[in-house]
Amino acid sequence: MPEPPPSAASCATALPVLYADDALAVVDKSAGLMVHDSALARGETDFAADRLREQFGRPIFLVHRLDRATSGCLLLAFDRETASRLGKMLMSQEVEPGGAFEKDYWAICRGWPAPEFEVDHALDGGPGKPLKKPAVTRFQRLATTELALPSSGFDTSRYALLRAQPQTGRFRQIRRHLKHVSHHLIGDSSHGDGRHNRNFRTLGIHRMLLHAQRLTFTHPHTGTRIQVQAPPDVQFERALALFEGGVT
């Protein structure tokens, strides 16, 4: 199995390496870390892209993005050709079911949605990008819980653990699709429900509960099928412990 470059462990702010070879790597991005500088940075100076260039000691090319508050699998390439091939495979996933990429997220939402459901709802590209494009996310309910936390006139609150599989890559897609079906993502300060976010803060859970748990893709040079998984952090583990039966 390929090993990460020696320099990967030398940086105090290094991101955990889930997979690495001469052409590409998958790292585990922590919640709260911005991937790269943008209009949303608002004075932030610490970015995953900068850390990774120092960590690997070479240029890096981000193949996809994760929101600042989202943790988990982040794919990057070490040269333009590899990045281009991965980018084309990722884009083809939007028009070809069962394509080269599979992205699985864990998400915790308010309410108990159906065991399986799909949200097909066009989304714009975010601030300054009003054009709406097709956006599809598939969801599976993995577990449910009912907690003794009052909300909306009830003595308890219901929550569900979901597996989310975005079939397209739009701005904040999973978060906005969950809002669209009124199963708001817990901890989402932009598209969530403040009452339920406060409930989880009373439990010591202060992060947005969206985690890029698994990434599966075809290696652009060898054709090998690669699958990596990112373990949840301490706060996400605390949230998972609220669900009987755990996850699969």
Side-chain angles (χ1 to χ4, degrees):
M1 179 174 183
E3 296 183 358
S7 60
S10 64
C11 178
T13 57
L15 301 183
V17 177
L18 304 173
Y19 175 89
D21 59 31
D22 289 339
L24 57 87
V26 183
V27 299
D28 185 0
K29 187 192 83 68
S30 56
L33 177 63
M34 292 200 73
V35 172
H36 61 94
D37 197 0
S38 73
L40 300 175
R42 299 177 184 175
E44 184 64 56
T45 58
D46 183 18
F47 303 103
D50 295 336
R51 289 195 194 186
L52 291 167
R53 277 188 285 270
E54 179 180 357
Q55 180 172 337
F56 288 104
R58 57 195 298 191
I60 63 102
F61 301 85
L62 296 169
V63 177
H64 67 117
R65 308 287 191 268
L66 292 177
D67 293 342
R68 177 177 186 167
T70 304
S71 56
C73 299
L74 181 67
L75 175 63
L76 59 106
F78 294 127
D79 60 83
R80 291 187 185 277
E81 180 186 358
T82 301
S84 177
R85 291 190 184 186
L86 287 168
K88 289 177 181 177
M89 286 194 293
L90 187 59
M91 291 300 292
S92 72
Q93 177 75 7
E94 298 193 6
V95 295
E96 298 178 7
F101 271 85
E102 296 177 17
K103 294 184 288 183
D104 290 2
Y105 291 75
W106 283 344
I108 294 177
C109 72
R110 62 168 293 274
W112 291 357
E116 294 189 7
F117 62 103
E118 180 175 290
V119 180
D120 185 347
H121 175 67
L123 297 171
D124 61 36
K129 299 178 181 179
L131 179 64
K132 289 190 175 182
K133 296 182 179 181
V136 178
T137 311
R138 295 172 183 161
F139 294 94
Q140 295 173 291
R141 195 181 71 200
L142 301 178
T144 59
T145 190
E146 187 165 3
L147 305 179
L149 299 169
S151 65
S152 303
F154 296 95
D155 294 332
T156 61
S157 297
R158 290 180 170 185
Y159 301 100
L161 171 65
L162 307 177
R163 176 181 292 120
Q165 297 173 310
Q167 305 302 297
T168 49
R170 310 301 177 218
F171 178 72
R172 296 180 177 176
Q173 178 172 314
I174 295 172
R175 301 162 61 179
R176 296 164 76 190
H177 272 175
L178 286 174
K179 178 184 179 181
H180 180 69
V181 295
S182 297
H183 288 291
H184 304 79
L185 181 70
I186 300 302
D188 187 346
S189 59
S190 299
H191 310 286
D193 185 316
R195 297 166 300 175
H196 294 281
N197 293 347
R198 287 190 292 274
N199 279 348
F200 272 71
R201 287 198 293 271
T202 67
L203 301 174
I205 300 168
H206 299 272
R207 60 157 294 179
M208 187 176 77
L209 294 177
L210 183 62
H211 177 62
Q213 185 263 338
R214 176 162 42 202
L215 180 65
T216 306
F217 61 97
T218 301
H219 197 290
H221 300 301
T222 66
T224 303
R225 196 69 170 159
I226 295 172
Q227 178 176 281
V228 293
Q229 297 185 54
D233 63 18
V234 173
Q235 287 203 44
F236 210 107
E237 283 277 16
R238 188 177 298 161
L240 292 176
L242 301 172
F243 294 87
E244 293 186 8
V247 298
T248 55

